[in-house]
Amino acid sequence: MLSEAIAALKAGRFVLVYDGKGRENEIDMVIAAECIKPHHIATMRKDAGGLVCLAVANEITSKLGLVYMHDMIAGMGKVNPVFSKLTEGKAAYGDKPSFSISVNHRDTYTGITDNDRALTVLKMAEVCKNIDAGGMDDFAKNFRAPGHVPILIASKRLLHDRMGHTELCVYLAKLAGLTPAVVICEMMDSTTHRALTIEAVREYAGKSGIPLVDASELKAHAKVA
């Protein structure tokens, strides 16, 4: 299934990525940022229902000077001790979230519509692709923060450091030879009000013709112990 997922991502189609029972036990809908269209955002809203985010490789976010939101909030503890309390401990699944800042492109209006979010993501993909050829200046000039597209920072060594959807999906993009920036959104269940089960996602994947890849496949490929 990994080869099918790589082919789908290259073709600008969706892929589903399952992180496994040992972690969040969630499945994310994923598409390459450089291929995003407004109808993709609409599909993520309707069929997935989680938070639409942009996951970006660490070598790019570091050049942009982005830092983890967790660290920014912790640093604010010097101003207000409550912020230090808010960042104590780890999430229930075992590590710290990969959130950084959220952005809107300056050509958007509210930033939240399918058109606006797709534009922000597409322009961010261009920033990432051209990071060493004007991308950093483009980012500074043409984006606003806060916005409606949260940026996620992948760990430096990807799956060797962390097994979150951020790392799994950026790793998948690299395998596909794409700009390492992907749009991801958790699959939610409106009946149980929980994450959609792997069984339900397998059924959805079959009906929709979307490849489903398990973290174990990516872990094996990356030779992670």
Side-chain angles (χ1 to χ4, degrees):
M1 192 58 78
L2 181 54
S3 59
E4 291 181 30
I6 291 171
L9 214 59
K10 280 184 177 179
R13 296 191 289 114
F14 283 117
V15 173
L16 301 171
V17 177
Y18 178 43
D19 69 347
K21 289 183 178 180
R23 204 173 180 281
E24 290 180 323
N25 194 24
E26 291 181 356
I27 300 92
D28 277 22
M29 182 177 277
V30 186
I31 194 165
E34 62 195 88
C35 300
I36 199 74
K37 299 283 195 306
H39 70 85
H40 293 131
I41 301 292
T43 298
M44 288 179 146
R45 282 196 296 103
K46 294 185 293 182
D47 290 4
L51 187 62
V52 177
C53 298
L54 177 65
V56 180
N58 194 283
E59 62 268 22
I60 294 172
T61 58
S62 62
K63 289 178 180 179
L64 292 175
L66 298 181
V67 297
Y68 290 108
M69 182 61 67
H70 178 279
D71 294 338
M72 284 189 270
I73 295 172
M76 286 296 293
K78 297 175 183 178
V79 177
N80 182 348
V82 171
F83 287 110
S84 296
K85 292 290 184 182
L86 293 175
T87 54
E88 287 180 354
K90 296 181 178 181
Y93 50 81
D95 58 25
K96 295 176 182 177
S98 56
F99 285 94
S100 182
I101 62 171
S102 58
V103 297
N104 284 344
H105 191 270
R106 289 185 179 271
D107 287 342
T108 61
Y109 186 57
T110 64
I112 194 61
T113 64
D114 298 336
N115 285 326
D116 278 359
R117 280 192 279 182
L119 177 63
T120 294
V121 167
L122 193 61
K123 292 299 185 180
M124 274 302 302
E126 292 176 8
V127 166
C128 295
K129 185 175 184 178
N130 302 315
I131 193 63
D132 294 318
M136 290 182 281
D137 288 338
D138 183 6
F139 182 69
K141 291 177 182 177
N142 295 313
F143 291 82
R144 291 190 180 97
H148 293 82
V149 176
I151 297 175
L152 309 178
I153 300 175
S155 297
K156 287 182 181 179
R157 300 189 307 143
L158 292 175
L159 308 190
H160 293 276
D161 288 341
R162 187 174 182 271
M163 291 294 290
H165 278 103
T166 302
E167 288 73 24
L168 293 167
C169 298
V170 167
Y171 180 69
L172 187 59
K174 289 191 173 191
L175 292 182
L178 297 167
T179 303
V182 289
V183 188
I184 67 176
C185 184
E186 305 93 341
M187 300 285 285
M188 298 287 107
D189 189 332
S190 297
T191 301
T192 65
H193 308 297
R194 298 178 182 273
L196 202 62
T197 64
I198 184 61
E199 292 77 18
V201 171
R202 286 196 182 104
E203 183 178 350
Y204 172 83
K207 290 179 178 178
S208 305
I210 301 177
L212 171 62
V213 63
D214 191 282
S216 61
E217 296 177 75
L218 293 166
K219 186 177 178 179
H221 189 279
K223 295 183 172 63
V224 177

